[in-house]
Amino acid sequence: MKKRVTIQDLANELNTTPSTISRALRNHPGIGEAMKEAVKKMAEKYDYQPNTIASGLRSGKSNTLGVIVPRVNRDFFSSVISAIEDVVFKAGYNVIICQTHDRVEKEKQYINTLLNGRVDGILVSLGLETKEYRHFEKVIEAGIPLIFFDRICEEMDVTKIMIDDFDGSFKAVSHLVKMGYNRIAHFSGPDFLNVYRNRKEGYIHALEKNNLKIDERMIIQNDLTIEAGKRDAERLMKMDDPPDAIFSASDYSALGALLYLKEMAYEIPGQIGVVGFSNEKFTSLIDPGLTSVDQHSDELGKYCAELFLEEVNRGAGNFVPRKIILNPNLLIRKSSWRKIIG
Amino acid sequence: MKKRVTIQDLANELNTTPSTISRALRNHPGIGEAMKEAVKKMAEKYDYQPNTIASGLRSGKSNTLGVIVPRVNRDFFSSVISAIEDVVFKAGYNVIICQTHDRVEKEKQYINTLLNGRVDGILVSLGLETKEYRHFEKVIEAGIPLIFFDRICEEMDVTKIMIDDFDGSFKAVSHLVKMGYNRIAHFSGPDFLNVYRNRKEGYIHALEKNNLKIDERMIIQNDLTIEAGKRDAERLMKMDDPPDAIFSASDYSALGALLYLKEMAYEIPGQIGVVGFSNEKFTSLIDPGLTSVDQHSDELGKYCAELFLEEVNRGAGNFVPRKIILNPNLLIRKSSWRKIIG
DNA sequence: ATGAAAGCGCTAACAT
DNA sequence: ATGTTAGCGCTTTCAT
């Protein structure tokens, strides 16, 4: 276990003081060129590596960013994280990942440990359980940027980045209508999450705009898993007046529906159309391809990271909360086509 | 920006000293019950939160684990990371993620920043470019656990966890042979990576064992992307003596092959069989389902994390390098079936 | 342009 | 059972 060389060691070696070394290394104005040169040469020679913990303690920052998501192994979240990491790495920040598994208790714990670790900012996508936001107040009190993405908290006055879920739904449902489907069911998630609420509203708005009546029995709230999709597709199709299309707020439950319908030998598309949400990787790979709303995970992550850096530069007290809404794209694949009907 | 309460504040409040507070909070033996009670009550009352940076500086550890992978948004890696995070969180560790995009330069940078941040351990899956391992020596010199998983470094005497790639390939190819395929091509990755080398050897061994001749033209090294799979499937099928099956070292290039073959209206399975490697999520969702070798990403992550915790407990100098090899499963799906031929 | 000195918040060796 | 003291390695006033 080799001893690491410290600023003190370099100071001794050069018959100067730690402060001079510290300044020289950071190109502080007011250090002679000769000294700078000498210090850097020494640092190189001894492979000096700064102790970020020590500098963190002194300066009160850790060059670390906390990212809290429900789960890291979801295409959407892992893509966002990937994009965030790429951006902030260039600015010298490390990313600590935290997965809540949608449990609010873990969300609270993570907020605490991140704050105790003096992270320089926290990016959050809320868990399904979170209906109450007091634990996030601490982040604001700590004076570091708090940014919500995708599953956001409407009530808090902080920066938020999301896609226009309403519009995504609206596009999806309008497309189904244009394809000739007119009895369209909807799988939705919990109402207290902005994303699902907005998707449902976009769905309703599209129906209204097309003079289609809203049938409450066609709106099913479930947990948006593959299994839920299968189960509820079955329930829908066994009704006396089954739907001719399903628009799901999640690709996973759309997939469940698709699998059930295929098994039952329904003709997709044609007899029944299916559209999902999120553009998970698998949607383009299955047969039929699943029409889905793309959430621009890369851009979203990039924005998150850039806004974090911007707020960090502004400094505590000078944050300018922003709300960024990205426009989603409908990616039309086979599952929502319609045969031309006579 | 609220001032955080420190150990000193609590000491003042209770007319005692910081060390007593520190000890009381950590249940140090030799602190009176009464005092412990009082301290904890005070801590609770003032919502005292320890500054992990300060304690880290003093104790030389950060309760943080660095995980370096090629990319975080790959099913395999994000699943491993997810499993790691779940395990070490319970033990009080944070996870810093680092993605190299397969670039050795970033690998080196990450090693440095992680070491400078005094992480308590580093878990690595090597990038495609990495052929030289000097940068990892520093981790050993730092006296913290270094653990390789999946894409490992054979030469270093540290803990390694991987699946038996040889065996996975062997099972896959043996299965194809049993299904009646006997001219089996192979997509491989760079030879200097253990995983691809072993997969190729397993393939060769299976052919030999079944008295099938090895045809070098049937072994294609590419970068294992969807595009490479398409391109090389085309190349293979245009040969005078095309294969009747393709075994790819990656699901992505297997998918590429599948897409090309479907487009060309080959009958899959039957006319040609396809098997991939990694059991990416999409393999079970596409049509035909892609037979693939499962890498047990969850267990692998869990093991990684547990071995890290074990080594941390052992302490520097007492590490016992271990090599853990998990047995992969062949998940047989439709793409490798064979119609009974008269 | 550089140095001296103090201290970020905590822990641990050494008292008592 | 508790207090005293001395840092961990760095940054940052305040001097000179």
Side-chain angles (χ1 to χ4, degrees), chain B residues 117-131:
Chain B
R118 298 298 184 271
V119 294
D120 299 311
I122 298 183
L123 313 188
V124 187
S125 195
L126 295 172
L128 282 175
E129 274 185 15
T130 309
K131 303 176 191 173

Side-chain angles (χ1 to χ4, degrees), chain B residues 14 38 54 65 108 140 142 144 165 210-211 220 227 273 313:
Chain B
L14 286 168
L65 169 64
K108 290 180 184 170
I140 297 183
I144 60 170
D165 290 284
N210 285 284
N211 300 311
I220 297 190
E227 290 65 40
N313 285 336

Side-chain angles (χ1 to χ4, degrees), chain A residues 53-66:
Chain A
I53 300 220
S55 93
L57 177 59
R58 184 63 240 245
S59 61
K61 61 187 308 268
S62 60
N63 284 296
T64 296
L65 169 64

Side-chain angles (χ1 to χ4, degrees), chain A residues 165-221:
Chain A
D165 289 285
F166 181 94
D167 185 53
S169 275
F170 183 80
K171 281 176 177 155
V173 176
S174 300
H175 160 71
L176 282 169
V177 173
K178 207 174 300 161
M179 288 291 114
Y181 298 99
N182 55 34
R183 186 157 172 74
I184 303 168
H186 179 48
F187 290 164
S188 180
D191 257 348
F192 55 82
L193 268 181
N194 61 304
V195 294
Y196 301 118
R197 203 169 49 238
N198 293 339
R199 288 173 200 178
K200 193 205 280 183
E201 278 166 14
Y203 156 84
I204 290 173
H205 185 67
L207 292 187
E208 281 170 348
K209 192 132 182 199
N210 285 283
N211 300 313
L212 294 171
K213 70 164 199 293
I214 316 299
D215 182 344
E216 283 298 335
R217 294 172 313 142
M218 290 286 112
I219 301 178
I220 297 190
Q221 184 174 317

Side-chain angles (χ1 to χ4, degrees), chain B residues 198-213:
Chain B
N198 293 339
R199 289 173 198 178
K200 193 205 279 182
E201 278 166 14
Y203 156 83
I204 290 173
H205 185 67
L207 292 186
E208 280 171 348
K209 193 132 181 198
N210 285 284
N211 300 311
L212 294 171
K213 72 165 197 289

